Every structure is written in C-alpha cells, then in structure tokens.
Amino acid sequence: MSRSPRTRQSASRKRPQDESSATAEQELIGTASHQTLAGAPLVGVRGADLAGSAATLLKGVVKSPLQAGRHLGDYLKALGGILDGTSTLEPPPKDKRFADPAWQSNPFLRALLQSYLAGREELERFIDSTDLAPLEKNRARFVASLLADALAPSNSPLTNPAALRKLVDTGGMSLARGLRHFTRDLLHNRGLPTQVDSSPFTLGENIASARGEVVFRNEMFELLQFAPTTGTVYGRPLVMSPPQINKYYAIDLSPEKSLVRWIQDSGVNLFVISWRNPTREHRDWGLSDYALCLDQAVEVARSITGSPDVNMWGSCSGGITLAAYLGWLAARGEGHKVANTCWAVCVLDMPSALDDTTLGLFTSPAALRAAKASSRRKGVLSGQDMARMFAWMRPNDLIWNYWVNNYLLGNSPPAFDILAWNNDTTRLPAQLHADYLDLVQQNPYSNPGSLEIAGESIDMSRVQVGAYVVGGTTDHITPWQGCYRTARLFGADATYVLSNAGHLQSLVNPPGNPRSFYYAAPAREDDPQTWLQSAGERQSGSWWPHWRTWIQARSGDSRPAPKKLGSRKYPPLCPAPGTYVREH
C-alpha cells in the first residue's frame, strides 16, 4: 500500500469515462474479487503436474485414435456449417468475453467465434469419449480449458472488436498504453497482468482505519484492541484469528464495508491478531507455534477485560489454527477459556476443501511431497508464487480479463479495496505450509489422535463450544458443503448460515446490498443439501445483523465502555493497524 504524502482518491471515485467503460470495469472488479488467495496454501501445483496432464490429453489421442478421427471429422463438418452460414453455435450468455454486438453483427468475427466454439466443444466431447480414468479425464479437461482460454479470439488485438474500436478512437494511444503496461508487467510482475491499482489506498487512512491500539506484540503477532463506539460494552471479549495468508484487514476495508466497525458499533470488545509476515529465518514456525499464539492473545484479552473467558472467531486458515488451539485447550482441561466460536468460510474436514475443485485434481501424495520440499528449501512459501499458481487455476478471471483490459484496451487496472488487499500478499513459513499439507492427508479434525499440538493429542469431540458457521453459495475455495461439515463438528445446536456470495464476499457482506440473502438454521442434518431444503425461507439482506444478535446474546453483561484501551500491564504500543501489517 502507498504511504507517501499525496492526494488520494477513494475506491469508489474513478476517472471520468464513458458508461460502457465504467460497466466493464465494474464487471472486472466483480469477477476478480470473487477470486481470493486464502485457500491456496492447502496444495502446491507443480509445472510437472500440468505437463503430466497435457501428456494425459495426448495419451487419450494415442489410446483412442478412432474417436479422435471421428471428432476431427465432426469439427470439419461444423466448419462447413459455419462457412455456409447455417451454424447456430453461440457462446453462453454469461460469457462476457463475447458480449460485444460485433461478435454477432460482423460476419468475419461471427465465423471466427463459431470456429473457436466448435473446436472447444469437439475437444471436450473427445475427452468425454475416451476410456481414460475419471481423474485423468478431469486433468485432461483442465489442460484443454487452459488451451482454449488462451486461444480465445477475444485475447487477440487483431480480432477483439472493443480493442480495435479503441485503437481507432484514441489514434493508437490505447496500443501505446497497452505496450507500456505489458513492458512494466514483464519487468516487475513476472509477466502476469497487474490486477489492481493499489496507489489510492493508504493503511490507517482510507483502508484498515478503524480506531484501535496494539496492546501486545511478540515476534509472531501483534494484538489489536479496537475501541467500541458505544457507551457500554459486553463483558466477554471477542478474539479473532485471521488467516496467515494475506493480512488481517480484509475485515477492515473501506469504512462502509468494515466488519471491524460493525463489531465496534455492536458493543463488543474486539481483539484481532495481526500476524507477522515471516521471512526465511522463521521457516520453523509451525501450526503448534501459531496455536500457542492464540493462547497468548486470549490471555491478554482476559487480563485487559477482566473476563474469565472469551469468544473467538476464525476465518479460513485462521479457523484451522483456531481448531488446533481449541483441541489443545480441551486436551489440557482448559476448554473453559473459550465459550463460543464463529467460523467464516472455514473447512475443517480437509478433503471436502478440495472436492470438485481444480486444486483437488493435483492433490496427489507426490504433489504434496514436492510442495513441502519446495517450501522447505526456500524457507517460506511466497505469496506471489501462490498468487501465480492460483491465477492459472482460473485464468479467464485472473489473467485474460486483465490481458484484455490492460494491454488490448490500454486501460489501467481498477482501484478497488478488496483487490488491493488480495494483492498485499504474505509468506507462509515452511513448517506451517508442511503442517497444512499434512492436514490434507491426515484430516485430523475428523480423525482423533492423528494430530499433536505442542505435545497434546487433538480430539475435536472433546471441544465443547457454541458455534456460528458461515459459508458461501459460490465459494470455490472453501465449498459451502465443507463449511457445513465444520458446523457439524460442534453438534446439532451449531448455527449454520449460508450466504449467497463467494469466498471473501461471504465475509465482507455489509447491510445495504439489495441482492444479498442468506439461510440460517441449526446444523441438525447430516447432509448439507438436506439441511438447505429444511432451512426455511431465505432471508433478505446481510447476515451481519443476524450474527450481531447471536454474539450479543453470548457476550455477557453490559458495562461502561473503557475510556482507554489496553491496561497497566498491557499499555498501548502504537495505533492500529500496527507495524506488522506494513511489512512486505
């Protein structure tokens, strides 16, 4: 994030542009903001895995030459229909790449598009017709989709009608700007298109700006206490465990979408961990170390507030750490320190985090071993490396969208707070990465005794806490069915909330969006689909007010809000957002 003293524009204020450009930018923002990095550390995809998948596709051709020949003939037949104007092939209505009317009105572009669609469809049909094993078919489909996405005529400056119009309208300036953007990304972004203009955002000013203080710091984390905005606060504080990948302020973006501010306005005494961005010298920090950090945070919050126990919140991989901590407390007979828990887009049944996902295609024992060896050799798993791998898992959304916007149209990438946060990547210590990958194989939260934290065997059946669990209907990182299984770990009285959003949007879901809705009901069904059918009427709006009622009822008695943050034992060290969040 920029910290230089300069005039900055808000995320919502954009340069003057025509209505179609503004719409295109909003679509770019909307698509990309659904693709966040938080689940990526679960697995590492190697170049060898992708090469092996390409070989699988060739293997299908070798093993099924007759089918290959038949589908080639069908493709040539389809080309004949395209040339004589009888083809009815059209792109899916939701495919924004071909929304420009010129793809239909211009005969050449229409024929080019139909040829592309025919080739893609015949390749998919060929893969379906082979006798490859199901996993091999899925990997072949993935490689075929990468190839098809890359060859889309919308990616070419000579056949993208919007790019050609802008080239003429700007007298060639759009091409010059695009070449500048391309050269910059080649030199400074390892050849991938830049996704966001982060310059308008300054930590502590117009992003991560909720009022608070750092009240504790050690070598692994800072603990932020945020100032309530109400005259009274509840006696039981809430301690948040954010993911170790990316930084905590996903919950404190621009003020109008800040969950931190919503909690401040709820009379809840909030403490949030801000993890340090580790370097190679911290390669040995593992899951046990992070779980014990949660205990330190809880002890500080209990001391400052005088409460005998706390409520806790875990988001995504921060929830994985919270589960390890709760299991450790239960094993030590100290479970009384945590009364209730909230889990946002967090899957604790590890295999279900990879079911029906692209990452799951490459979760082989060999891939996991190679991923661990790579991070151990380097000392850390780089956030930039994870972002590159993740981008190639969803290239239309995270690569080709920006290829067209930045290079063909010559536009600058959008300025948007969610994308700026997602671009502010962190590293994972090698040991924590290895521990995460072991969770995939061992699934310890569903298999008691397969995980030890600081010498204690973890058995989640011994954890007795209230639970409020949130999933997202379109979340492809932590699928909502897997999040539902998290709720089931805490018994039939756990509350499960299903929001109509993706991974981060399930969390950043402030009231006011007319398209928002959710379902909420106790997790009393074994099967998530059965739960959904019996969850009752969908409820309009954000789930935040529903959660506010839930957490307030479980936060103890009200008392006057503290006039100062921290305490004599834990005095404020510096204002929020602190120092660790600024490390790159």
Side-chain angles (χ1 to χ4, degrees):
M1 301 300 116
S2 169
R3 292 190 292 277
S4 60
R6 46 168 288 196
T7 301
R8 297 172 177 87
Q9 61 187 25
S10 71
S12 60
R13 200 180 307 151
K14 299 178 175 64
R15 304 178 184 91
Q17 54 188 325
D18 60 51
E19 185 176 343
S20 62
S21 296
T23 301
E25 183 179 55
Q26 288 305 312
E27 289 177 352
L28 186 68
I29 288 172
T31 299
S33 61
H34 279 75
Q35 324 298 331
T36 51
L37 191 58
L42 289 177
V43 68
V45 178
R46 304 168 297 167
D49 297 316
L50 298 180
S53 298
T56 298
L57 183 57
L58 295 176
K59 175 184 172 183
V61 175
V62 173
K63 291 184 67 176
S64 309
L66 294 180
Q67 289 98 318
R70 186 176 74 250
H71 286 283
L72 178 59
D74 290 342
Y75 174 60
L76 295 175
K77 183 178 178 181
L79 290 182
I82 293 168
L83 291 175
D84 64 25
T86 59
S87 175
T88 59
L89 284 172
E90 291 184 1
K94 293 184 178 181
D95 194 337
K96 302 299 183 182
R97 295 175 298 173
F98 307 111
D100 193 296
W103 289 110
Q104 298 300 324
S105 62
N106 183 287
F108 170 74
L109 291 178
R110 184 174 66 251
L112 182 64
L113 171 58
Q114 289 180 326
S115 300
Y116 166 72
L117 295 174
R120 189 179 67 181
E121 287 186 7
E122 284 305 325
L123 183 56
E124 291 172 353
R125 289 181 183 134
F126 164 68
I127 294 172
D128 290 341
S129 71
T130 65
D131 58 357
L132 295 172
L135 179 59
E136 290 181 315
K137 281 188 178 183
N138 286 334
R139 288 180 174 176
R141 288 189 190 101
F142 173 67
V143 169
S145 72
L146 285 183
L147 180 63
D149 292 343
L151 295 177
S154 55
N155 295 336
S156 169
L158 300 178
T159 56
N160 186 304
L164 291 171
R165 278 196 301 273
K166 192 160 188 181
L167 178 67
V168 173
D169 292 344
T170 62
M173 289 305 297
S174 62
L175 178 61
R177 288 194 298 266
L179 287 174
R180 265 201 316 272
H181 294 159
F182 178 78
T183 302
R184 181 195 61 204
D185 288 338
L186 201 61
L187 294 175
H188 303 295
N189 201 40
R190 299 172 65 185
L192 284 185
T194 299
Q195 295 180 359
V196 63
D197 174 12
S198 298
S199 62
F201 304 104
T202 304
L203 289 170
E205 293 185 17
N206 60 357
I207 194 170
S209 60
R211 191 167 70 88
E213 298 281 349
V214 174
V215 293
F216 177 80
R217 179 188 296 124
N218 66 16
E219 65 172 350
M220 293 184 69
F221 75 96
E222 291 179 331
L223 186 65
L224 312 177
Q225 183 185 11
F226 288 95
T229 57
T230 52
T232 61
V233 295
Y234 293 96
R236 180 179 290 145
L238 176 65
V239 179
M240 279 194 170
S241 169
Q244 288 86 354
I245 186 67
N246 285 117
K247 296 178 180 177
Y248 87 88
Y249 65 89
I251 58 171
D252 189 22
L253 296 170
S254 54
E256 65 272 10
K257 62 181 69 162
S258 169
L259 179 61
V260 169
R261 292 181 186 242
W262 178 263
I263 296 173
Q264 289 176 301
D265 293 343
S266 302
V268 174
N269 206 340
L270 176 64
F271 294 80
V272 178
I273 287 173
S274 176
W275 298 113
R276 186 176 185 180
N277 193 2
T279 61
R280 294 183 63 181
E281 66 183 279
H282 308 127
R283 66 173 65 232
D284 295 323
W285 290 355
L287 184 58
S288 288
D289 301 293
Y290 281 92
L292 294 183
C293 283
L294 296 191
D295 194 55
Q296 289 177 289
V298 166
E299 290 302 323
V300 173
R302 291 171 69 201
S303 174
I304 289 175
T305 63
S307 175
D309 56 17
V310 303
N311 293 326
M312 297 196 73
W313 176 302
S315 300
C316 199
S317 57
I320 294 174
T321 308
L322 173 57
Y325 171 55
L326 295 176
W328 179 79
L329 284 180
R332 292 168 56 88
E334 298 179 10
H336 59 274
K337 294 202 294 190
V338 179
N340 301 284
T341 55
C342 308
W343 310 80
V345 291
C346 175
V347 173
L348 298 180
D349 180 59
M350 306 311 296
S352 64
L354 300 171
D355 288 346
D356 300 320
T357 67
T358 303
L359 288 174
L361 296 178
F362 302 99
T363 311
S364 65
L368 297 179
R369 287 195 299 272
K372 284 196 283 188
S374 176
S375 59
R376 172 54 62 182
R377 184 171 61 253
K378 298 175 182 177
V380 292
L381 180 63
S382 161
Q384 288 186 331
D385 288 343
M386 282 186 280
R388 290 179 64 82
M389 178 272 289
F390 192 62
W392 284 110
M393 296 295 99
R394 306 185 71 83
N396 266 346
D397 296 331
L398 298 177
I399 296 176
W400 302 119
N401 259 347
Y402 294 98
W403 174 277
V404 172
N405 180 76
N406 300 6
Y407 306 155
L408 304 195
L409 299 176
N411 296 331
S412 296
F416 189 57
D417 52 6
I418 289 178
L419 299 184
W421 163 81
N422 193 52
N423 194 58
D424 192 9
T425 59
T426 59
R427 295 171 290 272
L428 284 183
Q431 185 58 54
L432 181 62
H433 184 221
D435 290 341
Y436 277 157
L437 297 177
D438 286 341
L439 297 180
V440 175
Q441 294 180 300
Q442 298 169 359
N443 198 21
Y445 300 128
S446 298
N447 296 307
S450 57
L451 172 68
E452 280 196 1
I453 294 295
E456 302 289 352
S457 180
I458 302 305
D459 179 356
M460 291 301 291
S461 67
R462 299 178 61 185
V463 175
Q464 303 296 317
V465 291
Y468 187 103
V469 183
V470 180
T473 55
T474 57
D475 187 348
H476 61 274
I477 298 173
T478 52
W480 75 266
Q481 297 88 342
C483 294
Y484 180 77
R485 295 186 183 100
T486 295
R488 290 289 296 164
L489 284 176
F490 300 103
D493 290 332
T495 297
Y496 186 63
V497 173
L498 180 59
S499 174
N500 71 318
H503 187 73
L504 186 59
Q505 283 72 19
S506 297
L507 179 61
V508 184
N509 196 338
N513 184 349
R515 293 177 292 180
S516 291
F517 63 85
Y518 65 95
Y519 297 88
R524 290 174 182 161
E525 305 290 343
D526 290 333
D527 178 67
Q529 292 292 346
T530 304
W531 173 88
L532 181 57
Q533 293 169 7
S534 62
E537 295 292 325
R538 79 181 196 184
Q539 303 183 47
S540 298
S542 166
W543 57 267
W544 285 11
H546 183 274
W547 173 80
R548 172 183 276 175
T549 299
W550 188 92
I551 195 67
Q552 287 175 335
R554 292 162 177 80
S555 295
D557 296 330
S558 293
R559 60 182 65 174
K563 295 181 179 180
K564 295 182 180 179
L565 299 181
S567 65
R568 182 173 298 178
K569 184 177 181 181
Y570 297 105
L573 304 176
C574 68
T579 60
Y580 284 171
V581 75
R582 302 183 189 276
E583 294 182 352
H584 296 284

